[in-house]
Amino acid sequence: MAALDTRTDRRPSFVGLLWGSTVGKKTAMAVSGIVMLLYLVVHMLGNLKIFFGAADFDAYAAWLRTIGEPFLHHEWFLWIARVVLVAAVVTHAVAAFQLSRRDIAARPVKYAHKRRRASYATRTMRWGGVILGLFIVWHVLDLTTLTVNPHAAAGHPYANVVATFSTWYGDVIYIAAMLALGLHIRHGFWSAAQTLGAGSAARDRVLRATADVLALLLTAGFVSVPVAVMTGLVS
């Protein structure tokens, strides 16, 4: 008697099919990129409160831990935001890596004719992403866990920021990462708009200009903090 075939044919889920496609991966990159961009805008605006003095900046840092109370417990909102952000970063990085591998596999032989030279931002997206990934690890160890900040003290965020940017290496790491971030945003915003269908011939110039302005404002906003500490404006 023949053995019964216990195998069952399972159709891949819609999410699996979407993730497996190039369009799905690009969409995942675009959506996760927008989530990170919104976070960066809020984070940059919060950082600028350091120009109002230690009391205001420390009060802002304390307020972040109480958002949603009493509906949410202490720091719950902060942890929810962190989980969402980590999920966005991981999704963005994995999709970018897999798309890169897929692109390389699709053209294993060099082109006979040179392609049109891409913009500087486009050509540096890959290494820029690696730099930003390494910076995120450093930033968490520096100002969240305070592991690599030798003069940090828990509960004193203003003093910890000043301590970080009072070192030459803290300034170099942060400013270099923010320049890479600006290039990443400049190309990524426009690319995300194209992926999500917001782009068209008529709107292309507006989208590029918006990407330039966003990249400039965010870079300048983030860099202004270490520069202020270096020049003594914030101390």
Side-chain angles (χ1 to χ4, degrees):
M1 183 176 179
L4 293 175
D5 188 354
T6 58
R7 293 176 300 174
T8 57
D9 294 329
R10 293 183 180 180
R11 293 184 179 180
S13 65
F14 173 76
V15 174
L17 287 172
L18 185 63
W19 177 256
S21 68
T22 298
V23 172
K25 292 184 188 298
K26 288 184 176 181
T27 300
M29 278 194 70
V31 173
S32 59
I34 290 172
V35 171
M36 290 186 289
L37 180 61
L38 291 174
Y39 168 80
L40 287 170
V41 171
V42 174
H43 188 43
M44 185 268 291
L45 292 175
N47 283 1
L48 294 180
K49 290 187 72 66
I50 201 167
F51 291 100
F52 294 93
D56 276 11
F57 190 77
D58 289 350
Y60 164 70
W63 171 75
L64 289 176
R65 289 162 171 75
T66 64
I67 296 176
E69 292 184 354
F71 180 74
L72 297 176
H73 289 288
H74 187 68
E75 292 193 355
W76 272 27
F77 176 85
L78 199 58
W79 279 105
I80 291 171
R82 286 169 177 167
V83 169
V84 171
L85 185 61
V86 168
V89 170
V90 171
T91 300
H92 199 78
V94 171
F97 175 76
Q98 292 182 354
L99 283 171
S100 177
R101 299 294 297 176
R102 183 170 293 185
D103 182 55
I104 293 172
R107 48 182 178 85
V109 181
K110 292 184 178 179
Y111 288 99
H113 302 284
K114 290 184 178 180
R115 294 183 300 171
R116 183 174 61 85
R117 188 185 180 97
S119 69
Y120 183 75
T122 302
R123 289 184 286 112
T124 57
M125 281 292 283
R126 289 174 184 171
W127 64 255
V130 173
I131 288 176
L132 292 173
L134 294 174
F135 170 73
I136 290 172
V137 175
W138 167 268
H139 197 50
V140 170
L141 293 174
D142 183 29
L143 291 173
T144 301
T145 66
L146 310 180
T147 305
V148 298
N149 194 334
H151 303 293
H156 299 280
Y158 180 93
N160 294 341
V161 171
V162 172
T164 288
F165 298 131
S166 295
T167 61
W168 68 267
Y169 56 86
D171 294 326
V172 169
I173 291 172
Y174 193 87
I175 292 175
M178 293 307 100
L179 293 176
L181 175 67
L183 291 174
H184 210 78
I185 291 172
R186 182 176 180 271
H187 176 74
F189 177 84
W190 180 80
S191 180
Q194 297 293 313
T195 298
L196 297 177
S200 68
R203 291 193 290 262
D204 188 64
R205 184 175 299 178
V206 174
L207 288 171
R208 289 187 180 275
T210 302
D212 289 342
V213 171
L214 271 173
L216 180 62
L217 289 178
L218 283 170
T219 303
F222 281 118
V223 170
S224 67
V225 178
V227 170
V229 175
M230 284 189 288
T231 57
L233 182 61
V234 172
S235 59

